[in-house]
Amino acid sequence: MKIVNCKVIVTCPGRNFVTVKIETDEGVYGIGDATLNGRELSVVSYLEDHLFPCLIGRDPQQIEDIWQYLYRGAYWRRGPVTMTAIAGIDTALWDIKGKVAGLPLYELLGGRSRDGVMVYGHANGLDIEETVDEVAKYIDLGYKAIRAQSGVPGIPSTYGVAKEKMYYEPADAELPTENVWSTEKYMNHVPRLFDKLREKFGFEHHLLHDAHHRLTPIQAARVGKDLEPYRLFWLEDAVPAENQESFRLIRQHTTTPLAVGEIFNSIFDCQQLITEQLIDYIRTTVVHAGGITHLRRIANLADLYNVRTGSHGATDLSPICMGAALHFDTWVPNFGIQEYMRHTEQTDDVFPHDYHFDKGYLHAGSAPGHGVDIDEKLAAKYPYRPAYLPVNRLEDGTMYNW
Ligand code: CS2
Ligand code: MG
């Protein structure tokens, strides 16, 4: 079997997605997600100009060898653009392998470890009352786990608080919008949100929260301690994790479980966090961490240290990534939870898929490969539109983390 053609499909059914399609001489094809929010076209160039020419004529069944060739062969290893491009190819190759074998991807990985994949949805509101109402809606929809974010009094806009409740989309402008942030105001507010949620709904549901890289280690330690009575499932991205040692300090002070890793792209970004058991959940996912081949390595390392998976699943990860992630989650022994932000109907129409939601769980489906396809004719109706995530400044104008 040989690879005869590779292409990239860029489409914007409400938001931008980059898709790799690999075709073989036997007519079987595979697709993979290669979307990097706000830097989409860099990945397109990396694929078209540098990787695709190396693939023509290769045996698509040799996934490991191709992965090593693309990773080691670049000389310049790692980085989000490189690893997202490799992920797009890797996912497409696993899709091909599944189709050739006539087996769903989770069977190729080692078979089913669970019946369904527990997911968490996103509840958010301009204030605590609105967030409480949104959490109630997710409970009614059957979710077992809900992430809660609320606007902070005195700050005009807050991370995670959206106008469009079911379809949160932060990449909303042709040039980055500027937000204002105050950690002090946030820190006073966030325990009140969870106090209210536990008072209203009790302790039956898992509650999660994302601090979106905005705290210093000692601030994160304080927030973790303040939230302890509310038994969070996790506190996410408490601090930027470039400095992995930061987590030592947080860990010394709080038993609130910690999750990190949605912006990591390699096992080396989480090596210290995992081996020193400084986190509880690793959030790397298929599209940004080198595909199934590399994510499996990260999960295996994590398993040795009792760290569980909790893959990123925001709307900027296409349904192809979600499909592949669900197969991965169905197999991975040290599964924790999967993030699930619903895609718009427009997006779902472009990417017909086999997975479905039922009573708080997503089910990967049993179609061969990862079970997601792309309607190229429909995709062509939605051309690329520049769209960026916001940036953040402190109240005095200092540039900060968004
Ligand atoms: C996030 C995302 O889902 C999450 O936890 O932090 O909303 C993130 O901001 C986007 O995926 C960025 O592209
Ligand atoms: Mg996050």
Side-chain angles (χ1 to χ4, degrees), residues 44-151:
V44 174
S45 159
Y46 196 95
L47 285 161
E48 289 181 341
D49 297 330
H50 306 295
L51 301 191
F52 287 169
C54 307
L55 294 180
I56 304 302
R58 280 181 196 276
D59 178 357
Q61 300 272 29
Q62 293 187 325
I63 300 178
E64 187 67 51
D65 184 65
I66 291 176
W67 196 95
Q68 299 295 338
Y69 183 91
L70 299 178
Y71 181 81
R72 292 169 196 271
Y75 188 60
W76 314 106
R77 297 183 187 193
R78 304 160 59 187
V81 174
T82 300
M83 297 304 274
T84 302
I86 293 177
I89 291 171
D90 185 77
T91 308
L93 295 179
W94 279 100
D95 194 26
I96 291 174
K97 199 179 268 305
K99 287 175 177 170
V100 170
L103 292 171
L105 180 48
Y106 67 77
E107 293 290 7
L108 301 181
L109 291 169
R112 190 182 273 289
S113 298
R114 56 195 52 80
D115 300 330
V117 171
M118 183 170 71
V119 295
Y120 69 90
H122 282 222
N124 63 82
L126 288 174
D127 52 26
I128 292 180
E129 283 61 44
E130 205 182 39
T131 307
V132 169
D133 292 347
E134 291 301 317
V135 168
K137 285 186 198 160
Y138 278 90
I139 291 175
D140 287 348
L141 286 169
Y143 281 78
K144 311 241 171 267
I146 302 143
R147 179 184 105 159
Q149 309 288 138
S150 146

Side-chain angles (χ1 to χ4, degrees), residues 154-367:
I155 309 181
S157 66
T158 309
Y159 163 77
V161 180
K163 286 163 253 147
E164 187 53 74
K165 294 293 176 225
M166 256 342 195
Y167 307 111
Y168 169 64
E169 183 46 75
D172 58 357
E174 280 203 26
L175 283 174
T177 313
E178 299 221 348
N179 291 174
V180 177
W181 177 247
S182 158
T183 307
E184 293 72 24
K185 287 178 179 150
Y186 161 82
M187 284 177 70
N188 290 330
H189 184 68
V190 73
R192 289 187 209 137
L193 168 65
F194 286 92
D195 192 52
K196 194 80 202 168
L197 289 172
R198 285 305 188 199
E199 184 197 308
K200 175 103 186 174
F201 302 111
F203 283 78
E204 199 187 319
H205 295 87
H206 299 304
L207 294 179
L208 300 83
H209 182 70
D210 190 349
H212 224 245
H213 324 270
R214 288 170 184 204
L215 307 172
T216 64
I218 200 69
Q219 289 170 336
R222 159 62 58 207
V223 170
K225 265 175 113 153
D226 286 350
L227 294 177
E228 275 173 24
Y230 313 115
R231 300 286 191 269
L232 259 57
F233 188 91
W234 77 35
L235 172 63
E236 175 183 337
D237 287 346
V239 295
E242 283 117 329
N243 183 356
Q244 299 185 28
E245 281 175 21
S246 305
F247 279 79
R248 270 199 210 133
L249 188 141
I250 308 171
R251 213 40 162 182
Q252 280 159 10
H253 290 282
T254 181
T255 54
T256 293
L258 302 171
V260 75
E262 66 182 41
I263 67 167
F264 292 177
N265 52 70
S266 105
I267 197 164
F268 302 105
D269 295 331
C270 35
Q271 185 177 17
Q272 185 181 5
L273 291 171
I274 290 173
T275 57
E276 292 188 22
Q277 302 182 55
L278 301 177
I279 54 168
D280 301 279
Y281 296 92
I282 182 69
R283 284 188 36 76
T284 41
T285 192
V286 179
V287 57
H288 298 137
I292 297 282
T293 300
H294 195 62
L295 191 62
R296 182 165 62 174
R297 254 171 215 124
I298 296 174
N300 285 343
L301 177 69
D303 192 30
L304 298 180
Y305 296 93
N306 278 313
V307 173
R308 292 191 282 160
T309 65
S311 285
H312 189 201
T315 39
D316 49 292
L317 285 57
S318 93
I320 304 171
C321 177
M322 182 55 74
L326 290 171
H327 282 266
F328 189 86
D329 297 338
T330 300
W331 156 73
V332 72
N334 49 323
F335 172 73
I337 200 165
Q338 168 69 52
E339 181 180 13
Y340 174 47
M341 262 160 115
R342 288 162 185 264
H343 287 108
T344 60
E345 279 178 27
Q346 228 178 3
T347 296
D348 282 342
D349 288 346
V350 171
F351 297 97
H353 52 262
D354 204 29
Y355 60 81
H356 70 278
F357 177 86
D358 186 36
K359 301 187 188 76
Y361 295 90
L362 273 171
H363 297 272
S366 54

